[in-house]
Amino acid sequence: MSNVKEMPDYLRLHADDNVVIATKPLVAGQVLRVDGNPITLAGPIPTGHKFAIGPIPAQTPVRKYGQPIGIARESIQPGCHVHTHNLQDRHRVAVTITSTNPPAKPSPLRRSFQGYVRPDGRIGTRNYVAVLSTVNCSATVCHKIVARFDEQRLRRWPNVDGVFAASHTTGCAIEFDGRKHQMIARTMAGYADHPNVGGRLIIGLGCEQNTPAYLAQHHGIVPLHAPDGRPLTRDDGVPMLTMQTEGGSQATIARGERMLEQVLDLANQATRTTADASALSIAVECGGSDGYSGITANPAIGIVSDRVVACGGTSIISETTELYGAEHLLCDRSRSPQVAQKLVDLLHWWQRYVAHYGGELNNNPSVGNKAGGLSTITEKSLGAVSKSGSTALEAVYDYAERVTAKGLTVMDTPGFDPASVTGKVAGGANLVMFSTGRGSCFGCKPAPVIKVASNSDLFHRMRDDMDLNAGEAIAGKSIEQLGDEFFEFALRVASGEQTASERNGFGDHEFVPWTVGPTL
């Protein structure tokens, strides 16, 4: 973000802005000079929050990033704190997109990493074994099987990064082949067939809607119901057990343990080899955002996105509810009006969906977001969209849909981080770049999560949970330099270097599929 200019006590992001952001706690009565003019603060301004640098009449736009972030509820005088008490969101989404202006493709970049080549040609950055439940009724059985493979026992399979259970809260009491059923099955299939998964075991109860037969028919997961005791091969189907057929929970756990050993034997045959960086598919995410997220961490991640796209890889941005207010920027960059139209159609769907429950998209900023300085969903979105970098938007995907396009893409997800990342990983993301300003602690097996702190205080205060410090941008390091450093780190992680969340053992409970529809 080359137009970010450092000031002693505040940042002004764009020449057209009528607010600036405090870089440290400011006190009432403090006098600051903006454009050579003295401004006396009317009250305290917390770090990351905004104050007016000129008069803002009531019902006129408040501007940040050079864009409107809302409308003043009342007249705001210079030096006044600008936040939820005097700012409201009035954004309107376009109805029809007739033209776009996609940027030129970036200059090609050739890089490589050490990954796992899978039979379908995709490349994994990790080599996990997954135990997946088709229905919540088999969730406990899945976790009990995984619990039998502790760190000491897993030393027998040194090429396997670990075993994890992917369980969820649905799978039954839903319309057969309805939207809810399709979404959970698509998510499960995406994890079972993920490039970071070298082996899988699927366990069901036996009477749910989400049966092995459904997964086989609609997602090509060929079941292997009864292995004959010989070692598994790559030509065999996916081992599946049903608790009712096996004779109950304890029998299923015992047989699942034996079968999982065979799955691990097969997964352990994989080794890392040199792979082109065009095989990278990164999910870009932000959670626990603050007033700095859109200034430091998200733009730096945007540079990483641009570098991955330049290598011929894929970048996936999501959180559709957190694109609201900034969607026009992505629409303008879309490869075609059809791509842009799909994005705005999704936003109109979200407006109807949220309104059905008496809400609005501006309910999105959390208590923590607001405490960190974010006032409206438009302000949050303008900062969030910078994770997408500067390349053309090539395609828009449904939740957990397999992402096949190269370049920048959008996936439809909610803003809730676990559900959002789950969808992108199900879509094939083999690496996650996750920014946070408040301090989100998050992991997502089987994809390594790189945590980027938006400010130096957070980075040092939660050092065990953070990988990278974007707060260095406030101290003068350029966003481009930070982004390039972060890209090099991402390549090392793709090659096997552990992230903070991996060292902490996070990722066993963050499989949170999003589904739409009634529970019957």
Side-chain angles (χ1 to χ4, degrees), residues 72-238:
R73 296 178 185 271
E74 59 195 38
S75 178
I76 303 173
Q77 299 304 311
C80 287
H81 186 202
V82 178
H83 199 36
T84 54
H85 63 287
N86 56 10
L87 178 61
Q88 60 183 334
D89 199 285
R90 289 276 189 88
H91 180 69
R92 297 291 182 269
V93 179
V95 175
T96 304
I97 304 296
T98 58
S99 64
T100 60
N101 185 31
K105 290 182 179 294
S107 299
L109 184 63
R110 294 300 303 274
R111 298 301 303 274
S112 62
F113 68 100
Q114 297 297 306
Y116 296 94
V117 180
R118 302 305 184 188
D120 63 359
R122 291 185 298 164
I123 312 293
T125 64
R126 293 293 183 270
N127 189 34
Y128 275 98
V129 165
V131 180
L132 304 104
S133 60
T134 61
V135 65
N136 181 254
C137 305
S138 59
T140 297
V141 165
C142 289
H143 284 280
K144 285 186 175 293
I145 292 171
V146 169
R148 296 191 176 191
F149 292 82
D150 58 17
E151 184 176 351
Q152 182 174 356
R153 185 175 181 181
L154 284 173
R155 291 174 183 171
R156 174 178 160 186
W157 299 279
N159 293 334
V160 176
D161 289 298
V163 179
F164 72 97
S167 60
H168 52 91
T169 61
T170 185
C172 197
I174 54 179
E175 178 190 0
F176 186 82
D177 201 32
R179 184 171 187 179
K180 194 179 187 79
H181 188 188
Q182 292 170 3
M183 292 176 78
I184 187 63
R186 192 163 63 229
T187 307
M188 277 192 57
Y191 268 66
D193 195 35
H194 195 277
N196 286 7
V197 173
R200 69 286 299 154
L201 170 64
I202 297 177
I203 298 176
L205 178 62
C207 55
E208 63 271 18
Q209 300 284 53
N210 199 35
T211 61
Y214 183 88
L215 293 172
Q217 179 182 354
H218 294 272
H219 296 284
I221 299 179
V222 180
L224 175 65
H225 288 289
D228 57 11
R230 60 174 172 76
L232 289 176
T233 71
R234 298 193 185 280
D235 295 327
D236 290 323
V238 177

Side-chain angles (χ1 to χ4, degrees), residues 193-469:
D193 195 35
H194 195 277
N196 286 7
V197 173
R200 69 286 299 154
L201 170 64
I202 297 177
I203 298 176
L205 178 62
C207 55
E208 63 271 18
Q209 300 284 53
N210 199 35
T211 61
Y214 183 88
L215 293 172
Q217 179 182 354
H218 294 272
H219 296 284
I221 299 179
V222 180
L224 175 65
H225 288 289
D228 57 11
R230 60 174 172 76
L232 289 176
T233 71
R234 298 193 185 280
D235 295 327
D236 290 323
V238 177
M240 296 186 183
L241 297 177
T242 54
M243 296 162 60
Q244 292 167 352
T245 301
E246 294 299 323
S249 59
Q250 297 308 306
T252 306
I253 292 169
R255 190 165 185 219
E257 180 181 5
R258 295 193 300 272
M259 292 182 68
L260 196 59
E261 285 193 331
Q262 294 191 53
V263 174
L264 281 160
D265 287 340
L266 182 61
N268 195 57
Q269 296 174 17
T271 57
R272 289 187 182 272
T273 188
T274 302
D276 194 88
S278 61
L280 289 177
S281 178
I282 65 165
V284 296
E285 184 78 12
C286 54
S289 299
D290 70 347
Y292 287 133
S293 294
I295 302 169
T296 62
N298 290 345
I301 289 175
I303 298 294
V304 179
S305 174
D306 286 349
R307 300 296 182 262
V308 170
V309 171
C311 287
T314 300
S315 176
I316 312 170
I317 189 170
S318 61
E319 301 170 284
T320 314
T321 52
E322 296 177 15
L323 299 179
Y324 174 85
E327 78 285 344
H328 59 287
L329 303 177
L330 285 171
C331 287
D332 186 58
R333 288 161 51 194
S334 294
R335 181 60 62 192
S336 68
Q338 291 75 23
V339 171
Q341 188 66 51
K342 186 169 183 180
L343 177 58
V344 299
D345 288 347
L346 286 175
L347 284 165
H348 285 296
W349 179 88
W350 272 100
Q351 287 179 308
R352 296 191 300 271
Y353 179 62
V354 172
H356 178 75
Y357 297 95
E360 59 181 38
L361 292 182
N362 196 44
N363 297 146
N364 174 282
S366 67
V367 171
N369 293 155
K370 293 172 182 176
L374 297 176
S375 307
T376 66
I377 183 57
T378 294
E379 179 183 9
K380 185 177 181 181
S381 295
L382 285 166
V385 78
S386 61
K387 301 190 304 293
S388 68
S390 61
T391 61
L393 176 61
E394 304 290 349
V396 177
Y397 287 91
D398 291 334
Y399 185 79
E401 185 179 1
R402 172 76 71 85
V403 176
T404 57
K406 296 292 188 178
L408 176 66
T409 64
V410 165
M411 177 177 286
D412 181 31
T413 77
F416 182 47
D417 307 323
S420 176
V421 176
T422 294
K424 286 180 286 196
V425 172
N430 54 16
L431 191 66
V432 181
M433 297 287 296
F434 190 121
S435 75
T436 182
R438 303 291 294 173
S440 294
C441 301
F442 180 81
C444 186
K445 295 176 181 177
V449 177
I450 298 170
K451 299 301 291 296
V452 183
S454 73
N455 62 86
S456 296
D457 175 68
L458 168 64
F459 179 76
H460 295 296
R461 179 165 36 87
M462 298 183 66
R463 186 65 188 87
D464 289 342
D465 294 286
M466 299 295 122
D467 295 292
L468 300 168
N469 181 16

